[in-house]
Amino acid sequence: MLRYSLRRLLSAIPTLLVVITLSFALLHAAPGGPFDSEKVLPPQIKQNIEHAYHLDEPLPEQYLRYLGQVLQGDFGPSYQYRDTTVNDLIAQGLPVDVTIGGWALLLSLLIGLPIGIFAALRQNTALDYGPMAAAMLGISLPSFIVAPVMILIFAVHLHWLPAGDWGGGSPSHLVMPVLALAAPYTAYIARLMRGSMVETLSSPYIRTARAKGLPLRTVIWAHAFKPAMMPLVSFLGPASVGIISGSIVIETIFSLPGIGRYFVDGALNRDYTVVLGITILYGIAIIVANLIADLVYALLDPRIRYQ
Amino acid sequence: MPGLRNSRRRLIGTLLVGLALTGCGENGSLISAPQIEVGTALADQQALDRQIGASPRTLDPSLATDVASQHVLDDLFEGLVTLDQAGDIVPGVAARWQRSADGLTWTFQLRDNARWSNGKPVTAQDFLYAWKRILDPATASEYAQALGPIINALAINAGKLPPAQLGAEAPDAHTLIVHLVIPTPYFLNLLTNMYLAPEYAPAIKQWGEAWTRPGHMVSNGAFMLKSAVINGNIVATKNPYYWDAKNVHLTRVTYHTASGASTVSQYLGGTVDWTDGFPANDAARLKRVLGSQVVHGPYFGTAMLGFNLDQAPFKGNRKLRLALSMAVDRVVLAKYLNHGLVLPAYNLIPPLKHYTAAIPSWAKLPGDQRHALARKLYREAGYSKAHPLQVAMTFAAGNAGTRQFMEALAAMWRMNLGADITINNLQWKVLLQSLQLRQLKLFWSAWIGDFPDPFTFMQLFTSGFPQNHGDYRNPAFDALIDRAQHTVDPTARYALFTQAEGILNHDAPYLPMYFYEASHLIKPYVKGWKSNVVDRHLSRYIYILEHKGG
Amino acid sequence: MSTPPPRSRPLAHATAVTEAALTGADREALAGRSLWQDAWRRLRRNRAAMASLILLGLIVLAAIFGPMISPYDYYTPQWTLLNQWPTLAGGHILGTDNLGRDELVRVLWGCRISLMIGLVASVVSLSIGVLWGTTAGYVGGWVDSLMMRIVDILYSVPFIPFVIVLLVLFGRELILIFVAIGAVSWLDIARIVRGQTLTLKKREFVEAARASGVGGFAIIRRHLIPNLLGIVVIYITLTIPSLILFEAFLSFLGLGVQAPMTSLGVLVSDGVADLQSFPYLLIVPSAFLAVIIYCFNYLGDGLRDALDPKDR
């Protein structure tokens, strides 16, 4: 397993390289440049700027220059925020997202897993339909409906919580964003867990175990839980990266200075370096998360062996 | 100044109600402090939370281009002159100034007690340093051309001359002399802007690009930078060395960078005291609920549609363009769609003191007559029910208000003319590029005035001007504008502009839609501001009344 | 693998002869029940699923025929009727929007577009993802590594520029929006399916099939895919709503359906801005959206229960 992990991590490097190259190509293929503005720049000034940022060099040269910088840990300057570097932006934004995403993930697991298992055990009764219907609500109402409604109720009318802002990460500022972010994930996890648990519980070996007279709790925890977790693990791999890497909707509605907004604004404004920097970060996170997911997979199902 | 997107991303501008200069002479060194009545109860905490609508791209005065940056820099830096609450020009670092008779030479006397936030005196050399820095090609400033009126400025920016050749000098630490290329009536307005602010050379030399960070930045305005988070909040605290510090009441200003629908929630929830705009659809309800906290007033900007004059169907087809213009019910749009938050526009220049706008005669016609005239021109242009005009109208994405406006326009043309105009919503950068490549035939094209003078709008239609997206070329028009720019007498100059507007009304190279208004929600305990056409409200005048929860 | 010996013919002949001698009812009883008939029977018994099916059917019918029979269209503004609240007293039952257009017609049009997007994008996504995932999981080895590596790579590529490039280079046709959305969303399914395939690969019936010499692709088709259907169906019913919402997100960025055409996502995101002044502009499309999503989910659950091979 260790050898497998090492091999995966090493082979992640060419993966990352392909990601960077593809992203670089895509970004430059999209029409418009970072310094295109309503006020059309006189050619002289345009030249000045492009020269200062090496944007007048041929693409392959820019690409190699960028790679060289990245290898030294320098993601380059931001074109949109003229006196800030990408490293600064990430340093500013990442803690925000990790905090909110981390809490949201924890919350959604703590709530979603038990609900899913519970509903599976009470399959086709009211205690199954009820929670699942509630979970459905979490999925069917996007965060850009839920969040403003929460703000309307708790901030505007009740004045219990602030209407937005990061506030340095103080708890009152975290409550609504975390809840809003966690809601759909809780719902997904509950539903996925319930469905998977139901399938597992009806499999022959579980029925055998129950027929043998094993107590339900043993059956669940010793036999059913692990296989039932598999689809969840597949889901959680990329989902945990997604939840942490910043939801643009949550960040926009609650005015949080997170990476999601930098990324989307960067893509829309052709801030190449910002997008590439965050992409690399995201790529590394995904690769690691997927690896962990696969390792957990093997832990859960002893029949899976990685050569 | 352009305003193609929603007003959040406007480029900066100096907007004044009237002309600033009244011939040569001295201006007193007035201190424009708010006159607070004796006995007014001020809050213990003099802290303001204001929204600026977007995250500033940078806090470096030489690099800033957007309105959000300007709001913050207005408080952090002060130029030779500055604005009072009404948006009129008052002395800043310069206590007095004189203009030569031919309008080409300005002399400024700086006050003795102007200080940087580290206690050092502000000198004329600080201004020269900053101006040369913004012009230096190595700085790669996007706004360098704003210094164009100064002799040699453009050549320096092009790299043809060394910065030392700039047409300005400082014979001593408190005197600054500037030489202009042509008499520039709006020169003082330019001086209020961040691109002509002074800069403290030692800080820049020491920290390089990072000099704008809190702790490194040295500024000369009423406030200094405490902290800054991109897409988060920016905090500024009172500058104890500011020359007028004793009249500055606020001790802390927090700039919030939220935009969109969350601005109103934050206002109602108490997070901010001052918003930068509010959604038009909410206007009726907000006025009902908040009363006089809803503030809106004229703004020096025009929203219009551009025609591509190099391609069919608008090339050489003046009648078609006029028909489209006449078929738009501007009053209906302004009143219903925009809830009275904009003014219908039939000409190019927004309401400007002392300026007489040229309004086309058909603007006064009652609706049905106007429509009939429009239909007649439409037919004469070669179109009919059987052969309707089919063209795409393009605008930039992300703004529901603009989109609804476009839908309304398309519907109006269908109902009034039978034209089949489709709406094309392009992503912002894609739109910009398509504009530059002249691929768009009919497009949204708003403009916010850079300074309170018709020239900033007239420029748009001079041949070869970079923002002349429609490629309108009329030598008679160009000649008129050139003459106006060389006319010293303000009345005569304005009359020439009115004439030029008349030409535009006849040629219809664009379609005026409405004049902008600046709108805010302001808490009743925030005082010391006035509605002004520049929509610049310096925090140095603002004070907070005693109120519950404050 | 060696080809199986031809063993079916004599038995088939005998069956045919016997069948010919049977009467109708007996024939039906003896003909046996196929997987799908079984499933349908089970589904019929699931009341929630059937209710969802009917409700969805009604919504689809309304979305198709509603705009045709309504006296209002979805694009003509009515200046004096802006933002009318819903009223039963004739006219605009669900009120009017910011341009005075009938909200009911707008929402039905929105349903049309959103359903089309959800369905088509799901099919695109599903096809690519299932094929990819099962192949990777089944074949295993370096092929698996390579295919999953490609998934990893594609996961990390920022999709916004990709979608922008796609939509700009090839125009803003509705079809292309489907393809773009489908093309960026097959990754999750592929991952899950591949994981499930890895597990199923080791199960008894696959070993049995292999032992009797059934070919690789046939195994995938006949054994793996039906067994994967349960998880895939759940995932699809979770994906359709997220695809609809993804389109809303794209619209928010200016890359979605062009005005005055609308989708539920556009109506909802516009409605949020009007939440405080005209809440019905948010409630109405959200309600439709929620109902559609609920229905798909209950239907999906029902299908999963119905198709579950373990009960056989």
Side-chain angles (χ1 to χ4, degrees):
Chain A
M1 193 111 84
L2 192 61
R3 251 200 347 217
Y4 176 75
S5 308
L6 276 172
R7 249 188 324 139
R8 276 281 289 266
L9 285 176
L10 275 177
S11 65
I13 298 178
T15 303
L16 220 45
L17 206 60
V18 175
V19 171
I20 300 178
T21 314
L22 259 179
S23 309
F24 189 88
L26 273 176
L27 279 170
H28 285 271
F35 296 107
D36 286 346
S37 68
E38 303 162 322
K39 197 170 187 75
V40 179
L41 297 176
Q44 188 55 51
I45 296 194
K46 190 135 200 240
Q47 242 180 359
N48 288 350
I49 295 182
E50 294 193 340
H51 190 73
Y53 286 105
H54 306 289
L55 289 173
D56 50 356
E57 291 171 8
L59 269 185
E61 218 179 293
Q62 289 186 46
Y63 173 67
L64 288 171
R65 174 189 291 273
Y66 180 73
L67 274 186
Q69 277 181 322
V70 167
L71 281 174
Q72 293 170 19
D74 172 17
F75 285 136
S78 160
Y79 304 140
Q80 177 72 1
Y81 302 107
R82 297 271 322 251
D83 48 14
T84 315
T85 63
V86 177
N87 294 43
D88 287 330
L89 281 178
I90 293 182
Q92 242 176 37
L94 197 55
V96 174
D97 289 309
V98 169
T99 311
I100 296 196
W103 283 112
L105 192 60
L106 198 61
L107 196 65
S108 55
L109 279 172
L110 281 176
I111 299 183
L113 273 182
I115 290 185
I117 298 177
F118 185 70
L121 290 175
R122 303 271 179 277
Q123 190 187 3
N124 294 330
T125 67
L127 287 174
D128 176 20
Y129 295 143
M132 284 303 109
M136 194 68 60
L137 210 55
I139 297 174
S140 62
L141 293 180
S143 32
F144 57 81
I145 299 182
V146 171
V149 171
M150 283 172 77
I151 293 181
L152 189 62
I153 298 176
F154 295 109
V156 175
H157 284 303
L158 293 173
H159 292 282
W160 285 354
L161 296 167
D165 260 4
W166 173 235
S170 79
S172 63
H173 286 95
L174 288 180
V175 173
M176 284 200 287
V178 168
L179 285 177
L181 189 59
Y185 285 97
T186 312
Y188 273 117
I189 289 176
R191 286 189 54 81
L192 214 50
M193 193 63 203
R194 181 244 183 224
S196 162
M197 187 58 118
V198 162
E199 274 212 35
T200 311
L201 283 176
S202 57
S203 53
Y205 65 92
I206 295 292
R207 281 190 261 174
T208 312
R210 299 203 60 181
K212 280 203 291 184
L214 284 175
L216 188 60
R217 194 178 311 155
T218 316
V219 171
I220 296 178
W221 293 114
H223 298 285
F225 188 67
K226 282 199 219 164
M229 283 290 286
M230 315 268 280
L232 205 67
V233 168
S234 292
F235 171 74
L236 279 179
S240 55
V241 178
I243 203 176
I244 290 181
S245 70
S247 158
I248 167 94
V249 173
I250 301 284
E251 288 176 26
T252 305
I253 294 180
F254 290 102
S255 309
L256 302 170
I259 296 196
R261 278 168 80 191
Y262 297 151
F263 181 76
V264 173
D265 287 345
L268 295 178
N269 290 319
R270 310 292 188 270
D271 201 348
Y272 302 134
T273 42
V274 170
V275 178
L276 283 171
I278 297 178
T279 303
I280 293 175
L281 204 67
Y282 194 67
I284 295 177
I286 288 268
I287 290 172
V288 168
N290 281 347
L291 175 61
I292 295 179
D294 280 347
L295 289 177
V296 173
Y297 231 81
L299 272 173
L300 290 178
D301 189 344
R303 291 171 297 183
I304 296 179
R305 276 282 162 268
Y306 295 123
Q307 320 85 303
Chain B
M1 179 163 65
L4 277 174
R5 297 181 91 190
N6 59 33
S7 56
R8 298 291 145 258
R9 304 243 177 234
R10 297 187 297 264
L11 287 183
I12 61 150
T14 40
L15 315 166
L16 277 194
V17 174
L19 289 178
L21 66 96
T22 49
C24 49
E26 295 204 341
N27 299 68
S29 47
L30 298 165
I31 298 173
S32 339
Q35 301 304 313
I36 306 184
E37 284 168 22
V38 177
T40 310
L42 295 182
D44 291 330
Q45 269 244 339
Q46 290 290 316
L48 177 69
D49 283 89
R50 59 187 291 183
Q51 282 178 352
I52 50 179
S55 194
R57 283 182 63 184
T58 173
L59 291 179
D60 185 333
S62 300
L63 297 177
T65 58
D66 52 315
V67 182
S69 301
Q70 179 188 59
H71 286 313
V72 181
L73 291 174
D74 271 346
D75 292 333
L76 294 180
F77 287 88
E78 188 177 75
L80 287 170
V81 295
T82 185
L83 300 171
D84 69 4
Q85 298 168 61
D88 293 321
I89 292 198
V90 293
V93 175
R96 292 177 307 281
W97 54 87
Q98 299 84 34
R99 187 192 65 150
S100 64
D102 60 0
L104 296 177
T105 309
W106 288 80
T107 312
F108 296 89
Q109 284 87 39
L110 278 56
R111 64 182 75 242
D112 295 322
N113 55 347
R115 298 262 179 280
W116 290 102
S117 52
N118 60 0
K120 299 276 195 296
V122 180
T123 66
Q125 284 85 4
D126 293 330
F127 283 91
L128 287 180
Y129 170 76
W131 298 359
K132 288 174 183 161
R133 178 168 177 259
I134 190 178
L135 288 171
D136 189 346
T139 309
S141 167
E142 290 165 67
Y143 235 95
Q145 74 272 20
L147 276 74
I150 305 180
I151 287 184
N152 289 341
L154 293 177
I156 294 172
N157 192 238
K160 300 203 183 86
L161 289 176
Q165 297 263 15
L166 183 62
E169 66 259 4
D172 61 70
H174 294 287
T175 310
L176 187 61
I177 305 179
V178 188
H179 305 281
L180 302 180
V181 178
I182 53 170
T184 310
Y186 45 85
F187 185 58
L188 285 178
N189 303 103
L190 291 180
L191 288 172
T192 65
N193 274 331
M194 51 212 183
Y195 40 73
L196 286 165
E199 286 171 2
Y200 186 67
I204 302 179
K205 293 202 170 74
Q206 180 181 4
W207 302 108
E209 254 182 15
W211 77 274
T212 55
R213 302 250 192 288
H216 299 174
M217 183 188 268
V218 175
S219 55
N220 72 325
F223 296 88
M224 34 190 230
L225 187 64
K226 181 98 193 305
S227 66
V229 177
I230 295 185
N231 279 345
N233 294 344
I234 299 175
V235 180
T237 50
K238 180 168 165 173
N239 176 3
Y241 293 105
Y242 180 58
W243 62 267
D244 199 28
K246 70 178 190 295
N247 285 317
V248 176
H249 299 276
L250 290 175
T251 53
R252 195 183 74 233
V253 183
T254 308
Y255 307 90
H256 295 254
T257 57
S259 60
S262 47
T263 57
V264 176
S265 317
Q266 292 195 0
Y267 181 82
L268 294 173
T271 308
V272 298
D273 306 312
W274 176 301
T275 69
D276 192 29
F278 54 84
N281 289 332
D282 274 340
R285 186 185 63 97
L286 287 173
K287 282 192 186 153
R288 232 182 16 244
V289 171
L290 298 173
S292 58
Q293 292 178 46
V294 178
V295 172
H296 63 100
Y299 191 49
F300 202 57
T302 307
M304 53 191 145
L305 294 178
F307 295 113
N308 187 331
L309 299 168
D310 281 341
Q311 292 177 30
F314 298 114
K315 178 174 176 177
N317 203 337
R318 192 181 73 91
K319 289 194 175 158
L320 181 61
R321 305 195 296 264
L322 274 175
L324 286 181
S325 188
M326 288 186 198
V328 175
D329 294 315
R330 293 166 175 80
V331 174
V332 167
L333 289 176
K335 183 165 152 204
Y336 292 107
L337 196 55
N338 289 82
H339 302 272
L341 290 179
V342 300
L343 296 171
Y346 299 94
N347 67 308
L348 181 61
I349 313 290
L352 181 63
K353 216 155 73 173
H354 303 308
Y355 177 76
T356 317
I359 313 279
S361 51
W362 54 262
K364 307 269 192 338
L365 292 174
D368 357 314
Q369 280 187 37
R370 191 169 32 87
H371 292 165
L373 188 51
R375 275 192 287 271
K376 175 165 161 293
L377 286 172
Y378 183 69
R379 271 194 313 273
E380 287 173 20
Y383 294 94
S384 61
K385 266 234 161 51
H387 174 229
L389 172 67
Q390 283 180 324
V391 76
M393 176 169 57
T394 312
F395 66 107
N399 185 338
T402 313
R403 174 165 46 88
Q404 282 172 357
F405 203 86
M406 293 282 140
E407 295 183 57
L409 280 180
M412 267 184 185
W413 283 321
R414 185 180 306 112
M415 289 192 301
N416 296 338
L417 291 178
D420 180 18
I421 297 183
T422 49
I423 302 167
N424 188 11
N425 189 349
L426 286 186
Q427 198 260 321
W428 177 232
K429 290 284 183 174
V430 178
L431 174 82
L432 287 177
Q433 206 185 61
S434 308
L435 267 181
Q436 282 168 33
L437 295 174
R438 305 256 194 267
Q439 289 167 340
L440 305 178
K441 304 208 172 142
L442 180 60
F443 49 90
W444 178 276
S445 175
W447 189 257
I448 313 279
D450 270 338
F451 35 83
D453 191 271
F455 177 63
T456 174
F457 283 89
M458 294 298 182
Q459 275 188 96
L460 293 174
F461 294 100
T462 52
S463 309
F465 190 69
Q467 267 91 281
N468 189 345
H469 295 300
D471 203 21
Y472 173 66
R473 286 169 195 276
N474 185 336
F477 179 83
D478 292 340
L480 209 49
I481 301 300
D482 193 51
R483 238 176 81 197
Q485 282 299 83
H486 286 90
T487 306
V488 183
D489 174 36
T491 322
R493 186 164 171 271
Y494 270 17
L496 288 170
F497 282 132
T498 307
Q499 223 182 317
E501 251 199 322
I503 298 182
L504 290 180
N505 288 342
H506 173 266
D507 288 349
Y510 74 105
L511 199 159
M513 292 191 296
Y514 57 81
F515 300 127
Y516 282 100
E517 285 209 336
S519 49
H520 301 277
L521 297 175
I522 303 180
K523 293 277 183 192
Y525 48 78
V526 176
K527 296 288 180 202
W529 57 271
K530 287 201 189 114
S531 241
N532 63 57
V533 169
V534 288
D535 200 34
R536 284 164 75 180
H537 305 278
L538 277 58
S539 301
R540 69 181 265 221
Y541 303 119
I542 296 180
Y543 57 96
I544 312 285
L545 292 179
E546 205 172 26
H547 64 281
K548 202 173 66 168
Chain C
M1 299 180 198
S2 57
T3 53
R7 42 186 158 81
S8 319
R9 272 186 57 214
L11 212 52
H13 180 70
T15 315
V17 165
T18 328
E19 272 194 26
L22 288 170
T23 59
D26 293 335
R27 179 181 306 160
E28 199 195 302
L30 200 60
R33 298 182 301 176
S34 72
L35 168 67
W36 303 104
Q37 282 174 320
D38 245 1
W40 175 241
R41 214 166 288 244
R42 262 195 295 270
L43 188 66
R44 279 233 305 269
R45 275 188 262 135
N46 184 335
R47 278 182 302 183
M50 290 315 292
S52 299
L53 190 58
I54 295 174
L55 200 51
L56 269 180
L58 285 176
I59 292 183
V60 168
L61 284 176
I64 298 178
F65 296 110
M68 289 186 207
I69 59 179
S70 167
Y72 308 108
D73 62 41
Y74 70 93
Y75 53 80
T76 305
Q78 298 177 92
W79 304 116
T80 46
L81 291 176
L82 296 188
N83 294 317
Q84 301 284 310
W85 279 74
T87 165
L88 287 172
H92 303 280
I93 306 178
L94 290 180
T96 62
D97 71 352
N98 292 324
L99 285 175
R101 299 174 293 200
D102 182 48
E103 183 70 3
L104 178 58
V105 171
R106 297 269 303 164
V107 169
L108 288 179
W109 265 101
C111 288
R112 253 197 223 190
I113 302 293
S114 290
L115 285 170
M116 277 204 311
I117 290 179
L119 236 42
V120 174
S122 295
V123 167
V124 170
S125 168
L126 172 64
S127 315
I128 306 176
V130 166
L131 237 41
W132 196 275
T134 50
T135 313
Y138 185 76
V139 175
W142 65 268
V143 173
D144 178 24
S145 296
L146 179 65
M147 291 181 88
M148 282 304 112
R149 185 93 65 78
I150 295 181
V151 169
D152 284 346
I153 292 176
L154 290 180
Y155 249 124
S156 317
V157 171
F159 62 88
I160 297 175
F162 169 70
V163 173
I164 293 176
V165 170
L166 205 65
L167 289 173
V168 167
L169 286 178
F170 298 111
R172 299 280 298 278
E173 301 301 316
L174 207 55
I175 308 287
L176 209 53
I177 297 180
F178 301 154
V179 172
I181 294 178
V184 300
S185 37
W186 61 268
L187 301 172
D188 283 331
I189 298 184
R191 230 185 176 269
I192 287 189
V193 161
R194 176 248 186 198
Q196 283 291 292
T197 309
L198 279 178
T199 311
L200 285 170
K201 194 162 73 165
K202 302 281 184 258
R203 292 249 183 111
E204 319 77 37
F205 58 86
V206 174
E207 305 253 9
R210 270 242 207 80
S212 53
V214 182
F217 201 66
I219 291 192
I220 292 180
R221 197 166 37 89
R222 251 187 269 161
H223 295 283
L224 289 180
I225 290 188
N227 278 291
L228 289 173
L229 266 177
I231 292 294
V232 163
V233 159
I234 297 185
Y235 204 82
I236 284 290
T237 54
L238 287 182
T239 308
I240 288 187
S242 70
L243 291 181
I244 292 179
L245 295 174
F246 184 54
E247 191 275 328
F249 178 64
L250 285 184
S251 304
F252 172 70
L253 298 177
L255 301 170
V257 291
Q258 286 285 14
M261 184 63 70
T262 185
S263 68
L264 284 179
V266 171
L267 288 169
V268 162
S269 52
D270 284 353
V272 168
D274 293 317
L275 173 60
Q276 300 198 33
S277 297
F278 309 108
Y280 67 91
L281 285 179
L282 176 62
I283 294 175
V284 171
S286 305
F288 272 84
L289 185 66
V291 166
I292 289 177
I293 290 170
Y294 264 82
C295 288
F296 269 112
N297 274 295
Y298 281 130
L299 191 58
D301 278 353
L303 282 171
R304 200 219 72 235
D305 287 339
L307 289 167
D308 196 320
K310 295 186 181 60
D311 279 355
R312 258 178 288 128

